[in-house]
Amino acid sequence: MMKKNHLSFFIFLSILGINIFDSFQRPVEALPLYTNSRWIVDEAGNRVKLACVNWPSHLETMVAEGLSKQPVDVISKKIIFMGFNCVRFTWPLFLATNDSLGLITVKQSFQSLGLSESIAGIKVNNPSLLDLPVIQAYQVVVKNLADNNVMVILDNHISKPGWCCSNYDGNGFFGDKYFDPNLWIKGLTRMATLFNNTSNVVAMSLRNELRGSKQNINDWYRYMQKGAEAVHSANPNVIVILSGLNYDKDFGFLATNPLNLTFTGKLAFELHWYGFSDGKAWENGNANQVCGSIVSNMMRRGGFLLDQGWPVIMTEWGIDQRGTNVNDNRYLNCIMAVAAELDLDWALWTLTGSYYLREGVMGMDETYGVLNWDWCGIRNSSFIQKISALQTPFQGLSNAKPHKVIFHPATGLCILKKSLLEPLTLGSCADSDAWKYTEQQQLLLPYIYLCLQADGLGKPAKLGLICSNDNSKWETISDSKMHLSSKISNGTTVCLDVDSSNNVITNSCSCLKLDRTCDPGSQWFKIVNSTSSSSSSWAKISLSGMSLSNLIERAISGIITF
Ligand SMILES: *[C@@H]1O[C@H](CO)[C@@H](O)[C@H](O)[C@H]1NC(C)=O
Ligand SMILES: *[C@@H]1O[C@H](CO)[C@@H](O)[C@H](O)[C@H]1NC(C)=O
Ligand SMILES: *[C@@H]1O[C@H](CO)[C@@H](O)[C@H](O)[C@H]1NC(C)=O
Ligand SMILES: *[C@@H]1O[C@H](CO)[C@@H](O)[C@H](O)[C@H]1NC(C)=O
Ligand SMILES: *[C@@H]1O[C@H](CO)[C@@H](O)[C@H](O)[C@H]1NC(C)=O
Ligand SMILES: *[C@@H]1O[C@H](CO)[C@@H](O)[C@H](O)[C@H]1NC(C)=O
Ligand SMILES: *[C@@H]1O[C@H](CO)[C@@H](O)[C@H](O)[C@H]1NC(C)=O
């Protein structure tokens, strides 16, 4: 039976304003960071979830983008405001290895590229940077991020400053025209040393998106090992992050032959995954089938490293934020689900509103950027809202009781019961109830002995007390495994869905197979492991005037349905 004392105790605490379930809070990191199996942790051993945004500084100017539009401190504060705790800050190798590049001033760099408008903008927004060497301007940005408590991953993005990446740009793999392995090690060492005592620089990704015809596994092992050791000995504080082959999509070779390094607790891997990584597959296929096959491929080529006890950071992902790219929109629902389920660390592409100069175009707009063209407003606040669920950890390494949340990737929200008399709705995952998914495939709220039930086509899903019927059994179906299906009393199969007001309902299961014109997004749910949400909402419920025994009594006598 219900533990009544338990309940009164929680109510008592709630009345006092104490919420014992909030013990898992966003940590104030004690740097440096380490790895503990697949997790990144701080000095105290608490999990730190990296929720980063990429800030490019590797194009021709070698200067962090946006400084002609807004003061650096304003940009840093926008990063925090949007919920990121970290920046993957890109740099071109030659910035660190060629003094005639690294030591030219910001002004000279822009002048040589004919970017007089940008110079005027920097004069207004960041006047103190204009006459600094570009390498020092890079340091100033890192320092400003530190002042705003933003962690930094230094990312060697390319050798020769410019837009990245193609198979033929001479920057793709060891031995390419601009990719001398020894010079690369020299540059990595230089940067690692330069930032050795800069505590917010928590990691270095050694080289972005290896690619092209020279790729081979032997050289990967040989040079990645050298690079990792060089960085670690110059700067033992940073986590070394290694990229895979084929645009950072493939670590399959590590499954059978691990990399051997002299140090431990400081190594992670990075994966990249875009909608366009698979061409137009999302648009041209059935979203369930495409998501199913691409995710299993991703797990086989890189995700498996999590199970082997390594952190895998999704350091590039993102979408065209205008919302008109069908390929990107379908991909987003799928990657949101994966990122929640695996509780990945990640870095979104990109912060950029517009570039000083990209691929020969001045002031190019970045439709994948979270800031708009003038680096002032947010390009699409509904996108930021959506990804915010991924910015805080689902799981910590705390002792909080493991449970499930039911995540809805299309909105970035979770199923929750706001009050007993209202239907189940979507809301912030931080307020989610603590669900249990049983072996009998019931979705239970154990604290109140109620389970999720299908009631009828187009009707709200409800909570009930009798959990042994078919309408309380929820199977994960379709190739994506993201439809939660059950049966209503006359035997018809239904799927969990949400209506236009975000109420949780059941409908006919949509586009399970073949159909490529429809989007199953509203019926996609992911049952996600969590140790962080507050399971106090039922206590809030009880506070709204009814004791639990009273409640159960009334439910049994049919006075209220849940
Ligand atoms: C350094 O950069 C300058 C300017 O791009 C170039 O002329 C020079 O060849 C580079 N030096 C080396 C050693 O690569
Ligand atoms: C970093 O700090 C340590 C200890 O304070 C010092 O010995 C070392 O020289 C510093 N390294 C750099 C590159 O400044
Ligand atoms: C880097 O800093 C650490 C302390 O933070 C120090 O032990 C180490 O000697 C420094 N390394 C270099 C190359 O300065
Ligand atoms: C690392 O060491 C293991 C065990 O000694 C060995 O099997 C493996 O081949 C080594 N990997 C490399 C890349 O040298
Ligand atoms: C933001 O994205 C949504 C879809 O995700 C789209 O409907 C909307 O039009 C976008 N807003 C802007 C301002 O681009
Ligand atoms: C079951 O009920 C639904 C309405 O709730 C109806 O649309 C459907 O046709 C019924 N199925 C059968 C097999 O009676
Ligand atoms: C979720 O937790 C269960 C039970 O502890 C575990 O078996 C499963 O592997 C976890 N899933 C993920 C994706 O970590």
Side-chain angles (χ1 to χ4, degrees):
M1 270 314 292
M2 187 58 213
K3 300 166 200 117
K4 211 170 157 189
N5 293 337
H6 222 156
L7 174 67
S8 346
F9 179 61
F10 293 146
I11 293 174
F12 173 68
L13 288 175
S14 302
I15 289 167
L16 292 179
I18 298 166
N19 186 346
I20 59 165
F21 296 104
D22 272 0
S23 54
F24 190 88
Q25 295 195 331
R26 194 165 168 157
V28 178
E29 305 86 14
L31 304 174
L33 301 182
Y34 300 85
T35 64
N36 175 354
S37 72
R38 60 146 292 187
W39 306 106
I40 291 171
V41 298
D42 68 8
E43 189 92 287
N46 296 316
R47 180 177 181 206
V48 173
K49 178 164 179 165
L50 297 176
C52 318
V53 65
N54 281 275
W55 189 350
S57 182
H58 67 276
L59 277 73
E60 282 85 349
T61 63
M62 300 172 285
V63 175
E65 299 292 335
L67 300 180
S68 62
K69 303 279 195 233
Q70 293 291 324
V72 59
D73 191 58
V74 170
I75 298 175
S76 295
K77 289 189 162 61
K78 285 182 199 293
I79 291 169
I80 288 288
F81 177 74
M82 291 185 286
F84 302 103
N85 63 6
C86 145
V87 160
R88 181 171 179 255
F89 194 28
T90 69
W91 58 281
L93 182 65
F94 295 167
L95 171 72
T97 57
N98 182 336
D99 280 349
S100 69
L101 287 178
L103 297 181
I104 61 168
T105 67
V106 169
K107 190 178 186 177
Q108 288 164 338
S109 174
F110 282 83
Q111 265 166 352
S112 72
L113 294 161
L115 300 172
S116 48
E117 262 183 56
S118 294
I119 295 176
I122 293 178
K123 205 174 263 169
V124 172
N125 288 299
N126 291 285
S128 63
L129 294 183
L130 213 51
D131 294 314
L132 287 186
V134 287
I135 184 79
Q136 279 183 34
Y138 190 90
Q139 288 174 275
V140 168
V141 173
V142 171
K143 172 72 169 63
N144 187 269
L145 290 167
D147 293 344
N148 286 284
N149 276 321
V150 179
M151 296 180 281
V152 173
I153 298 172
L154 305 178
D155 166 57
N156 175 222
H157 208 71
I158 198 167
S159 296
K160 187 179 187 310
W163 183 247
C164 188
C165 303
S166 101
N167 279 335
Y168 314 104
D169 62 12
N171 289 276
F173 199 75
F174 307 106
D176 277 354
K177 182 169 179 194
Y178 302 113
F179 199 168
D180 171 357
N182 295 321
L183 193 67
W184 174 68
I185 296 208
K186 198 176 138 195
L188 288 176
T189 305
R190 172 103 200 270
M191 290 296 269
T193 308
L194 196 58
F195 291 98
N196 184 38
N197 290 334
T198 309
S199 66
N200 69 316
V201 173
V202 295
M204 285 178 65
S205 50
L206 301 199
R207 184 69 170 198
N208 182 62
E209 298 195 354
L210 298 168
R211 61 191 177 274
S213 58
K214 283 216 165 63
Q215 293 184 92
N216 70 86
I217 291 168
N218 286 342
D219 281 349
W220 189 92
Y221 281 107
R222 184 161 157 218
Y223 294 122
M224 283 303 183
Q225 190 186 7
K226 277 193 183 174
E229 296 290 352
V231 165
H232 184 75
S233 57
N235 185 338
N237 295 319
V238 290
I239 291 176
V240 168
I241 304 175
L242 304 184
S243 156
L245 297 176
N246 200 14
Y247 291 88
D248 210 351
K249 289 185 296 185
D250 196 358
F251 287 103
F253 49 91
L254 283 176
T256 48
N257 191 12
L259 186 68
N260 298 313
L261 298 173
T262 60
F263 59 91
T264 55
K266 286 285 186 182
L267 181 68
F269 297 95
E270 61 180 330
L271 276 180
H272 291 181
W273 178 15
Y274 287 104
F276 56 74
S277 306
D278 299 280
K280 288 268 177 210
W282 296 95
E283 194 173 341
N284 295 335
N286 171 272
N288 280 305
Q289 293 172 310
V290 175
C291 179
S293 80
I294 288 178
V295 171
S296 76
N297 203 21
M298 186 276 292
M299 291 307 290
R300 204 176 53 248
R301 292 199 293 183
F304 72 91
L305 289 164
L306 292 167
D307 294 328
Q308 291 197 346
W310 303 104
V312 175
I313 311 172
M314 190 67 73
T315 53
E316 283 191 28
W317 65 285
I319 60 156
D320 179 337
Q321 289 180 33
R322 290 171 296 186
T324 48
N325 182 327
V326 173
N327 207 58
D328 274 5
N329 294 346
R330 292 183 181 176
Y331 143 90
L332 180 64
N333 290 340
C334 182
I335 194 174
M336 290 275 296
V338 172
E341 180 178 37
L342 301 175
D343 204 0
L344 293 175
D345 300 281
W346 50 265
L348 183 80
W349 189 272
T350 173
L351 179 66
T352 317
S354 54
Y355 298 95
Y356 307 118
L357 176 69
R358 172 179 149 183
E359 298 170 287
V361 180
M362 279 186 205
M364 190 196 270
D365 189 42
E366 173 58 274
T367 57
Y368 282 61
V370 290
L371 293 177
N372 60 16
W373 186 85
D374 60 14
W375 289 69
C376 187
I378 292 174
R379 186 172 292 266
N380 192 327
S381 50
S382 78
F383 176 77
I384 296 293
Q385 181 60 40
K386 208 181 277 191
I387 66 168
S388 68
L390 304 178
Q391 290 174 324
T392 48
F394 287 92
Q395 302 177 56
L397 294 174
S398 63
N399 295 324
K401 196 159 184 263
H403 57 265
K404 310 285 179 191
V405 299
I406 309 172
F407 182 65
H408 186 250
T411 52
L413 300 173
C414 287
I415 296 185
L416 51 95
K417 184 83 182 159
K418 286 201 178 117
S419 90
L420 266 180
L421 304 171
E422 289 170 59
L424 289 161
T425 59
L426 297 178
S428 164
C429 294
D431 299 331
S432 173
D433 305 276
W435 296 88
K436 183 176 176 189
Y437 191 46
T438 67
E439 275 172 30
Q440 295 77 35
Q441 299 177 302
Q442 297 147 334
L443 280 162
L444 302 179
L445 288 175
Y447 285 97
I448 45 177
Y449 290 90
L450 296 175
C451 58
L452 185 68
Q453 293 180 339
D455 199 24
L457 276 175
K459 290 197 185 165
K462 59 173 193 174
L463 292 174
L465 277 167
I466 316 286
C467 302
S468 52
N469 295 334
D470 278 354
N471 75 335
S472 304
K473 185 175 169 188
W474 296 92
E475 282 180 85
T476 54
I477 62 163
S478 86
D479 290 352
S480 69
K481 296 270 182 287
M482 284 201 275
H483 292 263
L484 282 173
S485 101
S486 187
K487 283 194 171 65
I488 55 176
S489 53
N490 71 2
T492 302
T493 298
V494 295
C495 278
L496 212 57
D497 204 339
V498 292
D499 69 13
S500 55
S501 314
N502 278 351
N503 293 315
V504 179
I505 58 174
T506 52
N507 273 328
S508 301
C509 302
S510 69
C511 44
L512 296 183
K513 266 197 190 314
L514 303 173
D515 192 346
R516 58 197 184 88
T517 58
C518 62
D519 188 339
S522 80
Q523 293 192 355
W524 277 1
F525 291 89
K526 196 67 154 179
I527 300 173
V528 172
N529 287 348
S530 174
T531 53
S532 63
S533 74
S534 89
S535 35
S536 59
S537 47
W538 73 278
K540 278 180 245 151
I541 290 167
S542 338
L543 276 176
S544 63
M546 274 179 273
S547 79
L548 198 75
S549 52
N550 187 327
L551 205 81
I552 290 173
E553 215 167 89
R554 288 163 139 229
I556 291 170
S557 58
I559 295 170
I560 51 171
T561 47
F562 296 101

